[in-house]
Short mmCIF file of all heavy atoms in Angstrom, two decimals:
data_model
loop_
_atom_site.label_atom_id
_atom_site.label_comp_id
_atom_site.label_asym_id
_atom_site.label_seq_id
_atom_site.Cartn_x
_atom_site.Cartn_y
_atom_site.Cartn_z
N ARG A 30 60.96 50.18 -59.93
CA ARG A 30 60.52 48.85 -59.53
C ARG A 30 60.83 48.59 -58.06
O ARG A 30 59.97 48.06 -57.34
CB ARG A 30 61.12 47.78 -60.31
CG ARG A 30 60.59 47.64 -61.70
CD ARG A 30 61.15 46.48 -62.49
NE ARG A 30 60.59 46.41 -63.79
CZ ARG A 30 59.45 45.69 -64.10
NH1 ARG A 30 58.85 45.18 -63.14
NH2 ARG A 30 58.99 45.73 -65.24
N ARG A 31 62.00 49.04 -57.57
CA ARG A 31 62.36 48.84 -56.12
C ARG A 31 61.46 49.65 -55.28
O ARG A 31 60.99 49.31 -54.09
CB ARG A 31 63.73 49.11 -55.92
CG ARG A 31 64.63 47.96 -56.55
CD ARG A 31 66.10 48.25 -56.24
NE ARG A 31 66.83 47.22 -56.97
CZ ARG A 31 68.03 46.84 -56.59
NH1 ARG A 31 68.58 47.29 -55.56
NH2 ARG A 31 68.66 45.93 -57.36
N SER A 32 61.14 50.88 -55.66
CA SER A 32 60.29 51.81 -54.89
C SER A 32 58.90 51.30 -54.83
O SER A 32 58.24 51.28 -53.72
CB SER A 32 60.26 53.20 -55.46
OG SER A 32 61.52 53.83 -55.51
N ALA A 33 58.41 50.68 -55.99
CA ALA A 33 57.06 50.22 -55.98
C ALA A 33 56.98 48.92 -55.17
O ALA A 33 56.04 48.72 -54.46
CB ALA A 33 56.68 49.96 -57.47
N GLN A 34 57.96 48.16 -55.18
CA GLN A 34 58.13 46.96 -54.45
C GLN A 34 58.06 47.27 -52.85
O GLN A 34 57.56 46.50 -52.11
CB GLN A 34 59.41 46.27 -54.68
CG GLN A 34 59.45 44.81 -54.23
CD GLN A 34 60.70 44.09 -54.71
OE1 GLN A 34 61.55 44.67 -55.38
NE2 GLN A 34 60.75 42.75 -54.51
N GLY A 35 58.64 48.39 -52.51
CA GLY A 35 58.61 48.83 -51.15
C GLY A 35 57.22 49.26 -50.65
O GLY A 35 56.83 49.30 -49.46
N ILE A 36 56.32 49.71 -51.63
CA ILE A 36 54.98 50.15 -51.27
C ILE A 36 53.98 49.13 -51.14
O ILE A 36 53.24 49.09 -50.23
CB ILE A 36 54.53 51.29 -52.30
CG1 ILE A 36 55.39 52.52 -52.17
CG2 ILE A 36 53.09 51.63 -52.11
CD1 ILE A 36 55.21 53.56 -53.29
N LEU A 37 54.01 48.17 -52.09
CA LEU A 37 53.02 47.10 -52.19
C LEU A 37 53.26 46.13 -51.19
O LEU A 37 54.41 45.72 -50.89
CB LEU A 37 53.06 46.54 -53.61
CG LEU A 37 52.62 47.45 -54.75
CD1 LEU A 37 52.72 46.82 -56.06
CD2 LEU A 37 51.17 47.89 -54.60
N PHE A 38 52.20 45.50 -50.58
CA PHE A 38 52.38 44.42 -49.58
C PHE A 38 52.60 43.11 -50.23
O PHE A 38 53.31 42.19 -49.76
CB PHE A 38 51.04 44.32 -48.72
CG PHE A 38 51.15 45.13 -47.53
CD1 PHE A 38 50.18 46.11 -47.32
CD2 PHE A 38 52.17 45.18 -46.62
CE1 PHE A 38 50.22 46.92 -46.18
CE2 PHE A 38 52.25 45.99 -45.50
CZ PHE A 38 51.22 46.85 -45.23
N THR A 39 52.05 42.88 -51.53
CA THR A 39 52.33 41.72 -52.24
C THR A 39 52.86 41.95 -53.58
O THR A 39 52.18 41.84 -54.62
CB THR A 39 50.96 40.87 -52.44
OG1 THR A 39 50.01 41.75 -53.05
CG2 THR A 39 50.39 40.41 -51.10
N PRO A 40 54.11 42.40 -53.69
CA PRO A 40 54.74 42.83 -54.93
C PRO A 40 54.82 41.71 -55.92
O PRO A 40 54.70 41.97 -57.05
CB PRO A 40 56.02 43.47 -54.54
CG PRO A 40 56.37 42.73 -53.20
CD PRO A 40 55.09 42.52 -52.56
N GLU A 41 55.10 40.49 -55.47
CA GLU A 41 55.31 39.36 -56.47
C GLU A 41 54.12 39.12 -57.27
O GLU A 41 54.06 38.79 -58.45
CB GLU A 41 55.68 38.05 -55.81
CG GLU A 41 54.69 37.54 -54.78
CD GLU A 41 54.72 38.26 -53.39
OE1 GLU A 41 55.68 39.03 -53.10
OE2 GLU A 41 53.84 37.95 -52.67
N ALA A 42 52.85 39.45 -56.69
CA ALA A 42 51.55 39.34 -57.48
C ALA A 42 51.16 40.46 -58.16
O ALA A 42 50.55 40.38 -59.20
CB ALA A 42 50.47 38.91 -56.41
N LEU A 43 51.48 41.68 -57.70
CA LEU A 43 50.96 42.85 -58.33
C LEU A 43 51.97 43.70 -59.17
O LEU A 43 51.45 44.56 -60.02
CB LEU A 43 50.38 43.84 -57.21
CG LEU A 43 49.25 43.22 -56.45
CD1 LEU A 43 48.86 44.12 -55.36
CD2 LEU A 43 48.10 42.96 -57.29
N LEU A 44 53.22 43.44 -59.10
CA LEU A 44 54.16 44.21 -59.94
C LEU A 44 54.05 43.90 -61.40
O LEU A 44 53.98 44.81 -62.17
CB LEU A 44 55.53 43.86 -59.54
CG LEU A 44 56.15 44.70 -58.30
CD1 LEU A 44 57.55 44.24 -58.05
CD2 LEU A 44 56.07 46.14 -58.54
N PRO A 45 53.66 42.58 -61.80
CA PRO A 45 53.50 42.49 -63.27
C PRO A 45 52.19 43.22 -63.78
O PRO A 45 52.22 43.78 -64.88
CB PRO A 45 53.14 40.91 -63.40
CG PRO A 45 53.95 40.31 -62.17
CD PRO A 45 53.78 41.41 -61.17
N LYS A 46 51.16 43.33 -62.98
CA LYS A 46 49.99 44.14 -63.32
C LYS A 46 50.32 45.60 -63.37
O LYS A 46 50.03 46.25 -64.27
CB LYS A 46 48.86 43.85 -62.31
CG LYS A 46 47.62 44.61 -62.74
CD LYS A 46 46.45 44.25 -61.75
CE LYS A 46 45.16 45.04 -62.16
NZ LYS A 46 44.05 44.77 -61.23
N LEU A 47 51.05 46.00 -62.31
CA LEU A 47 51.36 47.52 -62.33
C LEU A 47 52.28 47.89 -63.49
O LEU A 47 52.01 48.88 -64.07
CB LEU A 47 51.96 47.80 -60.88
CG LEU A 47 52.44 49.24 -60.75
CD1 LEU A 47 51.22 50.14 -60.66
CD2 LEU A 47 53.23 49.31 -59.38
N PHE A 48 53.32 47.13 -63.61
CA PHE A 48 54.28 47.48 -64.72
C PHE A 48 53.92 46.98 -66.05
O PHE A 48 54.62 47.24 -67.15
CB PHE A 48 55.65 47.09 -64.36
CG PHE A 48 56.32 47.92 -63.35
CD1 PHE A 48 56.12 47.64 -61.94
CD2 PHE A 48 57.01 48.98 -63.66
CE1 PHE A 48 56.74 48.46 -61.00
CE2 PHE A 48 57.67 49.81 -62.75
CZ PHE A 48 57.55 49.56 -61.38
N GLY A 49 52.82 46.26 -66.21
CA GLY A 49 52.36 45.75 -67.45
C GLY A 49 50.99 46.50 -67.89
O GLY A 49 51.00 47.52 -68.64
N GLU A 50 49.91 45.91 -67.41
CA GLU A 50 48.56 46.46 -67.78
C GLU A 50 48.30 47.89 -67.43
O GLU A 50 47.87 48.68 -68.26
CB GLU A 50 47.52 45.59 -67.11
CG GLU A 50 46.13 46.06 -67.35
CD GLU A 50 45.09 45.21 -66.53
OE1 GLU A 50 45.48 44.12 -66.04
OE2 GLU A 50 44.03 45.72 -66.28
N LEU A 51 48.63 48.33 -66.15
CA LEU A 51 48.40 49.65 -65.79
C LEU A 51 49.37 50.70 -66.42
O LEU A 51 48.92 51.73 -66.79
CB LEU A 51 48.43 49.72 -64.23
CG LEU A 51 47.36 48.99 -63.53
CD1 LEU A 51 47.58 49.14 -61.99
CD2 LEU A 51 45.97 49.32 -63.84
N LYS A 52 50.56 50.33 -66.58
CA LYS A 52 51.51 51.22 -67.32
C LYS A 52 51.04 51.53 -68.73
O LYS A 52 51.07 52.56 -69.19
CB LYS A 52 52.90 50.62 -67.31
CG LYS A 52 53.92 51.37 -67.95
CD LYS A 52 55.13 50.65 -68.12
CE LYS A 52 55.27 50.12 -69.46
NZ LYS A 52 56.58 49.56 -69.86
N ASP A 53 50.54 50.46 -69.43
CA ASP A 53 50.08 50.53 -70.77
C ASP A 53 48.78 51.39 -70.83
O ASP A 53 48.56 52.21 -71.66
CB ASP A 53 49.90 49.22 -71.45
CG ASP A 53 51.18 48.52 -71.60
OD1 ASP A 53 52.27 49.12 -71.56
OD2 ASP A 53 51.07 47.24 -71.77
N ARG A 54 47.84 51.13 -69.84
CA ARG A 54 46.67 51.85 -69.88
C ARG A 54 46.85 53.35 -69.63
O ARG A 54 46.04 54.16 -70.20
CB ARG A 54 45.71 51.33 -68.62
CG ARG A 54 44.40 51.98 -68.61
CD ARG A 54 43.63 51.55 -67.37
NE ARG A 54 43.44 50.14 -67.16
CZ ARG A 54 42.99 49.65 -66.06
NH1 ARG A 54 42.58 50.37 -65.08
NH2 ARG A 54 42.78 48.40 -65.93
N TYR A 55 47.80 53.79 -68.89
CA TYR A 55 47.99 55.19 -68.50
C TYR A 55 49.22 55.82 -69.29
O TYR A 55 49.65 56.85 -68.91
CB TYR A 55 48.07 55.42 -67.03
CG TYR A 55 46.89 54.87 -66.28
CD1 TYR A 55 47.00 53.91 -65.32
CD2 TYR A 55 45.61 55.43 -66.59
CE1 TYR A 55 45.83 53.47 -64.63
CE2 TYR A 55 44.58 55.01 -65.91
CZ TYR A 55 44.63 54.02 -64.91
OH TYR A 55 43.49 53.62 -64.27
N ALA A 56 49.71 55.15 -70.36
CA ALA A 56 50.90 55.68 -71.02
C ALA A 56 50.65 57.05 -71.64
O ALA A 56 51.58 57.93 -71.50
CB ALA A 56 51.15 54.71 -72.18
N LEU A 57 49.34 57.38 -72.09
CA LEU A 57 49.19 58.67 -72.73
C LEU A 57 48.60 59.77 -71.76
O LEU A 57 48.47 60.91 -72.08
CB LEU A 57 48.13 58.56 -73.91
CG LEU A 57 48.62 57.66 -75.05
CD1 LEU A 57 47.52 57.39 -75.98
CD2 LEU A 57 49.84 58.08 -75.67
N ARG A 58 48.26 59.25 -70.55
CA ARG A 58 47.61 60.14 -69.55
C ARG A 58 48.74 60.77 -68.67
O ARG A 58 49.59 60.08 -68.19
CB ARG A 58 46.78 59.38 -68.72
CG ARG A 58 45.76 60.13 -67.81
CD ARG A 58 44.93 59.25 -67.01
NE ARG A 58 43.71 58.87 -67.74
CZ ARG A 58 42.54 59.58 -67.62
NH1 ARG A 58 42.55 60.67 -66.88
NH2 ARG A 58 41.48 59.17 -68.36
N ALA A 59 48.67 62.10 -68.55
CA ALA A 59 49.70 62.83 -67.82
C ALA A 59 49.47 62.78 -66.38
O ALA A 59 50.43 63.02 -65.57
CB ALA A 59 49.70 64.36 -68.24
N GLY A 60 48.36 62.46 -65.86
CA GLY A 60 48.09 62.35 -64.38
C GLY A 60 46.59 62.10 -64.27
O GLY A 60 45.79 61.93 -65.25
N GLY A 61 46.21 62.01 -62.99
CA GLY A 61 44.71 61.78 -62.79
C GLY A 61 44.41 60.30 -63.05
O GLY A 61 43.44 60.12 -63.75
N TYR A 62 45.09 59.42 -62.45
CA TYR A 62 44.78 57.95 -62.73
C TYR A 62 43.72 57.41 -61.84
O TYR A 62 43.21 56.36 -62.10
CB TYR A 62 46.13 57.17 -62.44
CG TYR A 62 47.25 57.74 -63.08
CD1 TYR A 62 48.35 58.31 -62.27
CD2 TYR A 62 47.48 57.89 -64.45
CE1 TYR A 62 49.54 58.86 -62.79
CE2 TYR A 62 48.61 58.50 -64.99
CZ TYR A 62 49.64 59.04 -64.21
OH TYR A 62 50.71 59.61 -64.64
N THR A 63 43.38 58.20 -60.83
CA THR A 63 42.40 57.74 -59.80
C THR A 63 41.21 58.70 -59.76
O THR A 63 41.42 59.84 -60.06
CB THR A 63 43.04 57.40 -58.53
OG1 THR A 63 43.59 58.65 -58.01
CG2 THR A 63 44.12 56.38 -58.52
N ARG A 64 40.17 58.22 -59.15
CA ARG A 64 38.97 59.05 -58.93
C ARG A 64 38.38 58.73 -57.60
O ARG A 64 38.33 57.62 -57.26
CB ARG A 64 37.98 58.86 -59.99
CG ARG A 64 36.75 59.55 -59.89
CD ARG A 64 35.60 59.27 -61.02
NE ARG A 64 36.18 59.53 -62.29
CZ ARG A 64 36.24 58.61 -63.27
NH1 ARG A 64 35.68 57.39 -63.12
NH2 ARG A 64 36.69 58.85 -64.42
N VAL A 65 37.99 59.73 -56.84
CA VAL A 65 37.30 59.48 -55.59
C VAL A 65 35.81 59.97 -55.70
O VAL A 65 35.62 61.12 -56.06
CB VAL A 65 37.96 60.32 -54.42
CG1 VAL A 65 37.21 60.17 -53.12
CG2 VAL A 65 39.39 59.75 -54.19
N LEU A 66 34.87 59.09 -55.44
CA LEU A 66 33.53 59.35 -55.48
C LEU A 66 32.88 59.24 -54.13
O LEU A 66 33.00 58.21 -53.51
CB LEU A 66 32.84 58.42 -56.50
CG LEU A 66 33.27 58.18 -57.91
CD1 LEU A 66 32.81 57.07 -58.59
CD2 LEU A 66 33.00 59.50 -58.63
N ARG A 67 32.30 60.32 -53.73
CA ARG A 67 31.67 60.32 -52.32
C ARG A 67 30.36 59.38 -52.45
O ARG A 67 29.69 59.41 -53.38
CB ARG A 67 31.20 61.71 -51.94
CG ARG A 67 32.40 62.52 -51.41
CD ARG A 67 31.80 63.81 -50.96
NE ARG A 67 32.90 64.71 -50.46
CZ ARG A 67 33.20 64.95 -49.20
NH1 ARG A 67 32.52 64.36 -48.29
NH2 ARG A 67 34.19 65.76 -48.92
N THR A 68 30.17 58.66 -51.33
CA THR A 68 29.01 57.77 -51.25
C THR A 68 28.32 57.98 -49.89
O THR A 68 28.84 58.79 -49.00
CB THR A 68 29.46 56.33 -51.30
OG1 THR A 68 30.31 55.96 -50.26
CG2 THR A 68 30.12 56.02 -52.65
N GLU A 69 27.27 57.23 -49.68
CA GLU A 69 26.55 57.29 -48.37
C GLU A 69 27.53 56.66 -47.36
O GLU A 69 28.25 55.78 -47.68
CB GLU A 69 25.27 56.49 -48.49
CG GLU A 69 24.23 57.17 -49.25
CD GLU A 69 23.69 58.45 -48.61
OE1 GLU A 69 23.55 58.50 -47.40
OE2 GLU A 69 23.50 59.44 -49.39
N PRO A 70 27.35 56.96 -46.11
CA PRO A 70 28.23 56.35 -45.02
C PRO A 70 28.10 54.86 -45.03
O PRO A 70 27.03 54.31 -45.18
CB PRO A 70 27.79 56.99 -43.78
CG PRO A 70 27.06 58.27 -44.24
CD PRO A 70 26.47 58.10 -45.51
N LYS A 71 29.16 54.16 -44.94
CA LYS A 71 29.24 52.74 -44.95
C LYS A 71 28.62 52.16 -43.60
O LYS A 71 27.84 51.29 -43.54
CB LYS A 71 30.70 52.24 -44.95
CG LYS A 71 31.22 52.06 -46.29
CD LYS A 71 32.70 51.64 -46.30
CE LYS A 71 33.03 50.35 -45.55
NZ LYS A 71 34.36 49.93 -45.62
N ASP A 72 28.93 52.87 -42.52
CA ASP A 72 28.59 52.42 -41.22
C ASP A 72 27.51 53.32 -40.65
O ASP A 72 27.69 54.56 -40.54
CB ASP A 72 29.85 52.42 -40.24
CG ASP A 72 29.49 51.88 -38.89
OD1 ASP A 72 28.49 51.37 -38.73
OD2 ASP A 72 30.40 52.01 -38.06
N LYS A 73 26.39 52.74 -40.30
CA LYS A 73 25.17 53.54 -39.87
C LYS A 73 25.43 54.15 -38.42
O LYS A 73 24.77 55.06 -37.99
CB LYS A 73 23.97 52.75 -39.86
CG LYS A 73 23.92 51.58 -38.88
CD LYS A 73 22.42 50.95 -39.05
CE LYS A 73 22.37 49.80 -38.04
NZ LYS A 73 21.16 49.13 -38.10
N TYR A 74 26.46 53.64 -37.70
CA TYR A 74 26.70 54.15 -36.31
C TYR A 74 27.68 55.29 -36.30
O TYR A 74 27.54 56.22 -35.56
CB TYR A 74 27.27 52.91 -35.49
CG TYR A 74 26.33 51.83 -35.41
CD1 TYR A 74 26.50 50.64 -36.01
CD2 TYR A 74 25.01 51.96 -34.75
CE1 TYR A 74 25.54 49.56 -35.99
CE2 TYR A 74 24.16 50.94 -34.70
CZ TYR A 74 24.34 49.75 -35.30
OH TYR A 74 23.48 48.73 -35.29
N SER A 75 28.75 55.17 -37.11
CA SER A 75 29.81 56.22 -37.05
C SER A 75 29.37 57.39 -37.92
O SER A 75 29.89 58.47 -37.70
CB SER A 75 31.11 55.72 -37.36
OG SER A 75 31.30 55.43 -38.71
N GLN A 76 28.68 57.14 -39.00
CA GLN A 76 28.40 58.12 -40.06
C GLN A 76 29.45 58.80 -40.64
O GLN A 76 29.44 59.98 -40.91
CB GLN A 76 27.35 59.15 -39.45
CG GLN A 76 25.96 58.61 -39.17
CD GLN A 76 25.24 58.20 -40.39
OE1 GLN A 76 25.02 59.04 -41.33
NE2 GLN A 76 24.77 56.97 -40.50
N ALA A 77 30.66 58.14 -40.66
CA ALA A 77 31.84 58.73 -41.37
C ALA A 77 31.58 58.90 -42.86
O ALA A 77 30.98 58.02 -43.51
CB ALA A 77 33.09 57.86 -41.16
#
């Protein structure tokens, strides 16, 4: 909890969600909690 509090900018608002809903959602999952999907560039000028 202290480590997570050091990472989040608004821990008072997000720690209950992180240690409640998200902990329960990923209880059976060994890893791979996030997914990165490539999309078209957001900015038409930089084309990043």
Side-chain angles (χ1 to χ4, degrees):
R30 284 184 179 272
R31 288 182 189 207
S32 297
Q34 193 172 7
I36 293 173
L37 296 172
F38 273 126
T39 55
E41 62 281 346
L43 296 177
L44 278 180
K46 180 178 182 179
L47 181 64
F48 283 88
E50 176 187 339
L51 296 179
K52 181 187 94 168
D53 294 340
R54 184 187 304 170
Y55 299 120
L57 300 176
R58 191 179 273 269
Y62 315 114
T63 58
R64 178 183 302 128
V65 176
L66 302 167
R67 284 185 182 255
T68 61
E69 290 292 317
K71 277 175 54 173
D72 186 10
K73 66 180 182 180
Y74 300 109
S75 71
Q76 291 292 306

